[in-house]
């Protein structure tokens, strides 16, 4: 398992709970809210509050930095990886970066802060203001095929897709369920 602590990322043996590897990742306020992305012996991490993101290669008991930049500063919702690209919210904009290099491929400011998930090769994005956008996961551009204002208030929770139904919630506890089977 790869998990974040206040000041580091850890690899933990799921059966024993023993730490297998770690590397330092210090942020303002000790906030590391997004989940690391593990691909083989590489770990991608991202944190908000202007910290940024990085890719580390695990060598023995430590992570060795491959690259680090501020292209993705995930504060509310962790990024997701599709193919060779990572999609996520960078502070107040949606962004795509190349996993191996950290190079930004596009930025879209229409979403602002928010959260996202992916299904069937599509990004499902909920803005902090309750706007839903669905777009193909394309490393060249964000081109929504559908957009709708589905909630009001502040929306920080990640969309959840279960059996063809998309569940969206705001911080006040209002929930919207959309049938997306078709």
């Amino acid at each position: 398992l790869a998990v974040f602590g206040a000041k580091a990322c850890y690899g933990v043996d799921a059966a024993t709970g023993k730490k297998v590897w770690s590397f330092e990742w210090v942020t303002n306020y000790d906030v590391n809210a997004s989940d690391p992305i593990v691909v083989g012996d590489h770990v991608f991490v991202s944190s908000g509050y202007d910290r940024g993101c990085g890719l580390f290669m695990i060598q023995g008991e430590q992570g060795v930095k491959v690259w680090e930049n501020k292209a993705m500063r995930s504060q509310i919702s962790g990024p997701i990886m599709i193919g060779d690209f990572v999609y996520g919210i960078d502070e107040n904009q949606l962004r795509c970066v190349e996993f191996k290099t950290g190079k930004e491929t596009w930025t879209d400011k229409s979403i602002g802060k928010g959260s996202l998930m992916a299904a069937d090769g599509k990004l499902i994005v909920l803005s902090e203001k309750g706007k839903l956008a669905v777009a193909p996961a394309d490393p060249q551009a964000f081109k929504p095929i559908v957009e709708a204002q589905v909630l009001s208030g502040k929306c920080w929770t990640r969309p959840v897709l279960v059996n063809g139904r998309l569940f969206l919630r705001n911080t006040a506890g209002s929930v919207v369920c959309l049938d997306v089977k078709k």
Side-chain angles (χ1 to χ4, degrees):
L1 301 174
V3 295
F4 253 142
K7 298 185 184 300
C9 184
Y10 301 94
V12 179
D13 184 302
T16 65
K18 180 183 176 203
K19 181 179 83 167
V20 179
W21 53 260
S22 68
F23 56 86
E24 186 176 86
W25 189 257
V26 178
T27 63
N28 291 329
Y29 315 109
D30 292 335
V31 175
N32 287 310
S34 67
D35 293 325
I37 297 173
V38 179
V39 177
D41 60 356
H42 286 77
V43 180
F44 174 89
V45 293
S46 177
S47 297
Y49 300 102
D50 205 35
R51 176 59 169 99
C53 59
L55 183 66
F56 291 79
M57 179 191 286
I58 304 305
Q59 293 181 345
E61 295 180 2
Q62 63 183 357
V64 176
K65 185 176 7 178
V66 176
W67 59 261
E68 180 179 342
N69 64 39
K70 292 188 188 265
M72 190 163 304
R73 298 161 292 174
S74 301
Q75 182 177 339
I76 298 171
S77 170
I80 54 175
M81 185 169 173
I82 301 173
D84 294 327
F85 297 89
V86 178
Y87 302 85
I89 304 291
D90 169 47
E91 295 287 341
N92 62 1
Q93 56 201 355
L94 187 60
R95 186 167 277 170
C96 178
V97 299
E98 187 175 23
F99 180 77
K100 292 178 184 175
T101 66
K103 178 185 171 210
E104 171 192 336
T105 63
W106 57 257
T107 297
D108 184 279
K109 296 181 185 281
S110 69
I111 298 299
K113 287 185 184 275
S115 58
L116 74 158
M117 64 159 294
D120 194 28
K122 295 176 186 68
L123 300 175
I124 301 170
V125 185
L126 181 63
S127 80
E128 180 181 48
K129 296 180 180 176
K131 179 181 175 185
L132 175 67
V134 179
D138 182 344
Q140 302 304 313
F142 180 67
K143 298 177 190 167
I145 53 177
V146 65
E147 293 179 287
Q149 187 69 41
V150 295
L151 281 165
S152 60
K154 191 180 289 185
C155 302
W156 282 8
T157 56
R158 188 181 295 252
V160 175
L161 181 64
V162 179
N163 296 325
R165 288 187 168 83
L166 186 62
F167 294 87
L168 308 156
R169 182 176 68 84
N170 65 18
T171 57
S174 297
V175 176
V176 170
C177 176
L178 304 173
D179 186 343
V180 294
K181 290 177 190 166
K182 297 175 185 170

